[in-house]
Amino acid sequence: MSELFDRIDALVASRSPLPPPAERKRLRAAHGLTLDEVAAALDVRRATVSGWEAGKTEPRPPERDAYARLLDKLAELYPTTPAPAAETAPAPDAPVPATLTAVPAPAQGQPLSIEPTPDDEDVSASLTPQVSASDHAAAPAAARTPASATKSTSTSRPPGAKKVAPAGTSVGESDPRFANGPLAVLDVDADGQVVAYCVGGLVLDVPAKSLPSLVEWTLKEAKLGQPKLSGPGRAADPLLVLTAAALERYGLPTKLSEQEKDAGRIPEGHKVIKQLARAQWKLTKRGFGPWARIYRPATGSERACVQLCIPSWNALDTRHWGESGQLPPAELARVLGVYAARVMTPRGSTAVTGLELMTALHPPTRASAPDTDGRRHSEHNPGSLGKDPVDCGPCEAPDGHPLLKGLPRFHVRGPAEKLFEEAYDWARPMTDAECTLRYLVGIDVNMAFAAGANGLNVGLGEPTHVRNPVFDPKLPGSWLVDLSHVDLSRVKAGKEWVDLDGSLLPSPFTPKGDHPEGPAWYATPTVAYAEELGYDVTPAEAYARYDNGRYLDGWYQRLRDAYLATMADLGVTADLSPEDFLTAMDGYKARDPELGIVITAIKATVKGGLGKLRERPRGEGWRPGERWRALERPTWRPDIRAAVISRTRINLHRKIVKHAAFTGQYPIAVLSDCVVYAADGPSPLDVLPYRDGKPLPGGFKLGINPGLVKHEGTQTVLWGEGVREQFDAPQLNFARFIKDGTVTAADNGE
């Protein structure tokens, strides 16, 4: 009889309606269950449960029956509280559930031009700690339907109510000062009212009629901002994103003229800038441009600063943010909100944000212990780069640096004068045996340069010039050493010597893969790799940094977690088998295009942040031999950039050597973090040596973690030979075109 009752219960459960997605999540969170625990109990993937809670998919039998039973039991334990009437709406600082995906720490692990884009400068030092808005209550939000957001109706709600945040957003975290999230997108609704779209579906009425009053409202009532990322740091300033309609409302142009684009700002005589000046608000040196910062100088311990982002002025570069600038306000708030929650509130371009993230995690100063009078003072924060810039070594300086002004005019520095650590751009002709194969398969290293930064010891202070030093692989610096004796035909792979065909391998010591011909400057990871291959090194000079540390570890971990959490929301997790991983990666961005934009922005933050470490002059009347603005930053550190690129290139070469020693396969082309092999089949599994589901130790491994590889693209060998003949380029780099196979004369340098 009990079995009969069980079948009846199951039949009832199979037809009972499920609660809405937001309620499913509430019930799980109320009982303290994680997505992993629910997934394990139902014998499904974590991403499947996440999809049910996000409303993207619905459960099917037999999992639906068990899921319905679980939700029914939880609903008995945690009944829904009746929604309050509009006149008794909850205060805006009521907590809103966060939905950040938790991702376990992974195992260790695009063609890179790690150069920054012309962009924002660091925030003026006169800005002070964040103004607290905790004593002010934000006005209850009224339900609005902006004319420009007709595609998105998800923000409709009773007055004052908050929606559960969409997947991947976090509102307020635990700081009541920032109860409404880090940012808001301002638009004008059909009734002509300015409204602010916050993360999580919250919409606020904006009473401000002018830009100065908008800044005041933001600081006093909006409850926008983000808690600090480290103990000695400071909270992030609120970010307002202005749509074209909001720009018109506040008297600003919806587009910049050609002259204004060249200047990167509107004229200082603009009426809105005069309004700000009359209200005693100031702008940073960049003026009123796509990423404007409006602030007041220090008054006591308070910080008063608001940042503006103006998409129609090209604040959101399409190379890094896709078409996000064209999204409806609610969807744009979601994209920027996910990025802010997982990385940080944008401070400008992705390059600027990547650099600012380093500083936010390692602020230059901290409060000292109390002195005899009980007062605290500002002191150096150990592990940071400090607050004062330091000069690099002459070999680390880019052309035009003041350290090089004594060189003859038009002098071209060679390898023995200039540190040249860059990403790979190497290719070779195919052998006869490779031409008999059918496919060219490209594999790409995930977050390669982030993985290269993980655990890397870098210099924190200025360099010390040393003659005839003894090489120390643990000492960061630049070394003048002759590595021309390293023979890639016989190298150490682990503890054993192996014989290889060195002519089919790129040199690990030069970006073009050419064999070095004499002494040259190298970063520490490159010289250490020569020792690892079994060869002695005897440096003639060095610029060593005895004050050093793992400055980039926290930066890597923050970006790694952001990347993995967002990929998990897109259905790509770290626990997939190689076959399932390749399937999950097929068209993953199309599952949620908004999160696809976030992934692109996270990757650009890595590359751009490293590029900012060696930012070049950006006009402003600069002449060779003169200092430029970026040199005044403590984060202008070309040696750190060189060390990361060096380690990334060496990591890739180490895997290439392991792969060649084990399989006899050699790369045909390498571009940055992409490697192309000839193979009999079109899949990476036709290249990578998996045995019993396990990859080659120390070689390439499919997976989503930084340092592991994914499928970049496949073309036929006939295609490869055809484009080389077409452009008469026997060493055309296939890795540049392997993704879609499109090659133009411009790509070949014609």
Side-chain angles (χ1 to χ4, degrees), residues 23-276:
E23 178 66 6
R24 302 171 195 174
K25 180 176 180 182
R26 184 193 73 81
L27 292 171
R28 175 182 60 77
H31 201 60
L33 298 175
T34 66
L35 288 170
D36 291 319
E37 289 173 325
V38 175
L42 300 176
D43 197 22
V44 296
R45 293 194 307 144
R46 183 183 189 279
T48 301
V49 180
S50 178
W52 295 345
E53 293 187 356
K56 297 178 182 177
T57 58
E58 287 296 319
R60 297 180 179 180
E63 292 82 10
R64 187 188 189 283
D65 307 349
Y67 189 50
R69 185 183 297 249
L70 169 66
L71 296 175
D72 185 60
K73 296 294 184 184
L74 293 178
E76 293 177 6
L77 296 174
Y78 308 98
T80 305
T81 303
E87 59 271 16
T88 59
D93 57 356
V96 176
T99 59
L100 284 179
T101 302
V103 178
Q108 156 72 17
Q110 323 256 311
L112 179 74
S113 174
I114 304 190
E115 293 293 343
T117 53
D119 219 291
D120 320 78
E121 87 265 65
D122 295 335
V123 181
S124 170
S126 62
L127 301 186
T128 54
Q130 171 69 43
V131 169
S132 172
S134 59
D135 296 331
H136 304 277
R144 300 285 181 182
T145 306
S148 61
T150 54
K151 292 183 181 179
S152 176
T153 59
S154 62
T155 54
S156 299
R157 78 234 179 278
K162 288 186 177 181
K163 278 185 64 64
V164 173
T169 59
S170 175
V171 182
E173 299 189 10
S174 59
D175 195 325
R177 295 177 299 162
F178 313 127
N180 295 333
L183 56 90
V185 180
L186 269 60
D187 195 28
V188 179
D189 68 8
D191 298 327
Q193 170 67 44
V194 179
V195 288
Y197 286 80
C198 306
V199 298
L202 173 68
V203 184
L204 302 174
D205 283 333
V206 180
K209 304 299 183 183
S210 67
L211 196 62
S213 60
L214 174 64
V215 175
E216 295 277 4
W217 172 83
T218 302
L219 292 172
K220 294 180 179 179
E221 299 182 47
K223 291 194 173 183
L224 295 174
Q226 189 175 39
K228 59 187 179 181
L229 298 181
S230 66
R234 61 173 178 81
D237 300 317
L239 173 64
L240 299 180
V241 184
L242 303 183
T243 64
L247 290 172
E248 287 185 328
R249 175 57 56 91
Y250 291 115
L252 291 164
T254 57
K255 298 286 185 181
L256 294 180
S257 67
E258 291 301 320
Q259 184 177 1
E260 290 168 343
K261 286 180 182 178
D262 293 340
R265 66 182 80 184
I266 59 176
E268 297 201 6
H270 194 280
K271 63 179 182 179
V272 172
I273 297 181
K274 292 180 178 179
Q275 290 175 1
L276 292 169

Side-chain angles (χ1 to χ4, degrees), residues 267-309:
E268 297 201 6
H270 194 280
K271 63 179 182 179
V272 172
I273 297 181
K274 292 180 178 179
Q275 290 175 1
L276 292 169
R278 285 195 295 270
Q280 298 183 328
W281 289 105
K282 296 181 179 294
L283 295 164
T284 54
K285 293 179 182 179
R286 283 288 183 185
F288 205 122
W291 291 92
R293 301 191 72 83
I294 304 172
Y295 73 99
R296 279 183 179 145
T299 54
S301 61
E302 292 188 336
R303 176 184 176 88
C305 181
V306 173
Q307 179 167 287
L308 304 182
C309 168

